[in-house]
């Protein structure tokens, strides 16, 4: 039996990379506006809907991808061999003929990207149904497969026959055109997944990618050592319960909700829907007096404090009182180096080194010996990220030592007490609802003397509705 899309142990194979590309082409071909034009075709006395001709498919591929006729025909043949198109007359021949031969697009249920394997039970039901419908008219290789499956799953053959008869009974209730289409779809699917002898399978991946021998693992002592080491690392890896994660998310959301303009609104007014820009002035980077919400946000994390210019300025004043302002100055100098111009990188690196890291520097910062060795090694070929290790060391030092003391200091407490709270103003979410809409009475129902007054009133209401 030819290889299907499943491995010998029953596992589904990984999707081949070219299948997704082919399916994107098929989806484009079925576009109602820019795809291949489909129409109903008559086969003897049966009308088949949504059929296309091989000539239309080739011409569409030529116009869509600007390729030659030979390349378009080759691509069309690949689509047919993979089962994305199937012929309506000679279903056993999965070839695209560039003439008036009729084809239909395969339903996505039978596409090759479906990772469920082509099960033996499904194939047995298909062969049994075909054997009952055509009274034993199976081809040679189908008869051979039928006998093999009968012996292999003899314990459940009654279920196979029952399923086949039920499907045939349900098919009799459909129209003749639908029965023809479903039969062609099933036959095409099994011709792709169970090709006849002598026909190469398009699903065969090759020994270098899908071979079971290549993926076989040798059970030697080195293999078990690697498995033991992997299990030890997995046991030592810290894990957090989902309940703890959810509690952290809830705490984060409740903490940041008052500071979110969308969730809690803007004070004193929303500058996006009003002409009042006081909100921008109060939250400007160089605001003289920060708002209370802004000062509270500095206590969320050290990163929030450093990203705010006003907060960083107050933190610098605090570090000056503790005689450690050089740490923040060094961090700012590294940020300027990272985001500065490329031409100034060597000069900036030398300036930062002479000012903060060189022996006897005026504003020397304390970093460990290993970090200093890595930094000095990188200074031989200076670049904008050469001081990242030293910057991270100083950043963690300020985060773990200076930042907690700043939050507990009288300076931060005083900033919270002196911070301003903008007054709340009456605001509406939808400004076009300021004045209620009212329908003016029909002029036909008013006397002639009141028509002019009605027009003036309607104009005034319309003008009020347009105010924003």
């Amino acid at each position: 039996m030819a290889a299907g899309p499943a491995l010998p142990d029953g596992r589904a194979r990984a999707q081949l990379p070219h299948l997704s590309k082919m399916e994107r082409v098929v989806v484009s071909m079925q576009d109602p506006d820019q795809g291949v034009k489909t129409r109903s075709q008559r086969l003897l006395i049966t009308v088949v809907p949504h059929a296309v001709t091989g000539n239309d498919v080739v011409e569409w591929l030529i116009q869509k991808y600007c390729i030659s006729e030979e390349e378009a025909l080759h691509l069309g043949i690949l689509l047919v061999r993979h089962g994305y198109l199937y012929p309506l007359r000679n279903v056993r021949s999965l070839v695209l003929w560039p003439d008036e031969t009729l084809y239909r697009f395969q339903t996505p249920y039978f596409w090759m990207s479906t990772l469920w394997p082509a099960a033996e039970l499904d194939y047995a039901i298909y062969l049994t149904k075909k054997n009952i419908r055509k009274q034993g008219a199976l081809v040679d290789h189908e008869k051979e497969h039928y006998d093999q499956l009968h012996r292999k799953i003899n314990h459940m053959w009654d279920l196979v026959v029952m399923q086949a008869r039920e499907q045939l009974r349900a098919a009799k209730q459909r129209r003749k055109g639908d029965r023809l289409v479903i039969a062609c779809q099933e036959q095409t699917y099994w011709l792709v997944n169970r090709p006849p002898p002598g026909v190469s399978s398009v699903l065969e991946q090759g020994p270098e990618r899908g071979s079971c021998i290549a993926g076989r693992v040798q059970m030697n002592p080195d293999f078990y050592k690697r498995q033991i080491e992997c299990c030890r690392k997995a046991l030592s890896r810290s894990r957090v319960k989902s309940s703890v994660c959810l509690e952290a998310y809830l705490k984060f959301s409740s903490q940041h909700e008052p500071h979110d303009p969308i969730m809690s609104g803007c004070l004193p007014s929303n500058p996006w829907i009003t002409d009042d820009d006081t909100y921008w002035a109060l939250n400007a980077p160089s605001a003289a007096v920060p708002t209370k919400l802004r000062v509270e946000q500095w206590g969320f994390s050290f990163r929030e404090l450093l990203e705010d210019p006003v907060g960083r300025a107050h933190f610098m004043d605090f570090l000056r009182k503790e005689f450690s302002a050089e740490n923040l100055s060094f961090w700012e100098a590294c940020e300027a180096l990272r985001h500065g111009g490329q031409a100034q990188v060597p000069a900036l690196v030398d300036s930062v080194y002479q000012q903060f890291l060189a022996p006897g520097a005026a504003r020397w910062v304390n970093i460990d010996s290993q970090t200093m060795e890595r930094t000095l090694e990188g200074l031989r070929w200076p670049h904008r990220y050469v001081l990242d290790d030293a910057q991270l060391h100083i950043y963690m030092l300020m985060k773990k030592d200076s930042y907690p003391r700043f939050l507990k200091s009288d300076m931060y407490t005083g900033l919270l007490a002196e911070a301003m709270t903008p007054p709340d103003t009456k605001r509406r979410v939808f400004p076009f609802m300021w004045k209620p809409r009212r329908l003016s009475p029909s002029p036909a129902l008013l006397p002639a003397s009141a028509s002019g007054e009605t027009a003036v009133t309607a104009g005034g209401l319309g003008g009020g509705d347009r105010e924003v």
Side-chain angles (χ1 to χ4, degrees), residues 435 438 440 451-467:
K435 292 186 178 181
R438 293 177 300 192
S440 60
S451 299
E453 298 177 0
T454 305
V456 173
T457 305
L461 290 176
D465 290 339
R466 288 190 296 269
E467 287 183 354

Side-chain angles (χ1 to χ4, degrees), residues 26 29-30 43 48-54 57 76-97 101-111 177-192:
V26 175
M29 295 174 72
Q30 298 183 71
L43 291 177
V48 180
H50 306 294
V52 297
T53 63
V57 173
I77 292 175
L78 288 178
L79 294 176
V80 175
R81 287 182 177 176
H82 283 78
Y84 295 110
L85 284 166
Y86 60 88
L88 292 175
R89 285 197 175 96
N90 189 9
V91 186
R92 296 186 182 279
S93 177
L94 296 181
V95 179
L96 180 69
W97 299 101
T101 305
L102 297 180
Y103 296 85
R104 283 188 97 253
F105 291 103
Q106 180 70 285
T107 178
Y109 178 78
F110 292 113
W111 281 4
D178 295 339
R179 293 201 301 268
L180 175 63
V181 168
I182 294 175
C184 293
Q185 288 176 349
E186 289 185 342
Q187 187 168 356
T188 302
Y189 175 78
W190 289 114
L191 283 175
V192 174

Side-chain angles (χ1 to χ4, degrees), residues 127 139-149 151 197:
L127 292 178
V139 295
D140 295 338
H141 74 279
E142 290 178 341
K143 291 180 180 179
E144 182 181 354
H145 291 164
Y146 182 84
D147 296 337
Q148 292 177 358
L149 292 172
R151 292 192 300 268

Side-chain angles (χ1 to χ4, degrees), residues 205-387:
Q205 299 186 24
E208 68 279 359
R209 288 183 294 174
S211 175
C212 300
I213 300 176
R216 191 175 298 165
V217 180
Q218 296 181 359
M219 303 298 182
N220 51 20
D222 293 336
F223 168 77
Y224 291 107
K225 288 180 181 179
R226 291 194 300 269
Q227 292 293 321
I228 293 173
E229 185 65 23
C230 181
C231 293
R232 286 178 179 174
K233 290 181 180 180
L235 291 174
S236 61
R237 189 181 302 117
S238 60
R239 291 178 173 84
V240 181
K241 293 183 178 179
S242 59
S243 59
V244 178
C245 292
L246 293 176
E247 290 178 1
Y249 279 122
L250 291 175
K251 182 179 178 181
F252 178 86
S253 301
S254 60
Q255 185 182 41
H256 286 77
E257 182 180 1
H259 303 266
D260 192 335
I262 298 179
M263 301 299 295
S264 302
C266 303
L267 293 178
S269 61
N270 193 336
W272 284 278
I273 60 176
T274 64
D275 294 333
D276 187 6
D277 60 349
T278 309
Y279 177 81
W280 302 124
L282 295 178
N283 293 275
S286 59
V289 180
T291 61
K292 188 174 182 179
L293 291 176
R294 189 172 181 178
V295 177
E296 289 177 352
Q297 199 167 357
W298 299 345
F300 290 169
S301 66
F302 187 47
R303 175 61 61 181
E304 294 279 355
L305 177 64
L306 293 183
E307 289 180 351
D308 192 338
V310 179
R312 192 163 67 244
H314 287 289
F315 186 58
M316 178 67 78
D317 296 337
F318 172 77
L319 292 180
R320 288 195 183 99
K321 294 180 180 180
E322 293 200 342
F323 304 99
S324 58
E326 64 276 359
N327 291 335
L328 184 56
S329 299
F330 174 72
W331 182 88
E332 291 177 341
C334 293
E335 288 293 304
L337 170 64
R338 179 181 298 178
H339 302 288
Q342 183 63 33
Q344 289 79 25
V345 166
L348 289 175
V349 170
D350 183 68
S351 174
V352 173
Y353 174 75
Q354 296 296 335
Q355 188 177 2
F356 297 100
L357 299 177
R363 308 185 67 185
W364 184 76
V365 293
N366 185 16
I367 60 177
D368 60 274
S369 59
Q370 295 182 356
T371 305
M372 179 63 77
E373 290 178 1
R374 290 196 300 269
T375 304
L376 293 177
E377 183 69 22
L379 289 177
R380 297 180 181 179
W381 301 277
H383 52 86
R384 64 176 66 251
Y385 306 108
V386 69
L387 299 176

Side-chain angles (χ1 to χ4, degrees), residues 43-61:
L43 291 177
L44 298 179
I45 61 174
T46 305
V47 177
V48 180
H50 306 294
V52 297
T53 63
N55 190 25
D56 292 339
V57 173
V58 174
E59 290 182 358
W60 185 90
L61 292 173

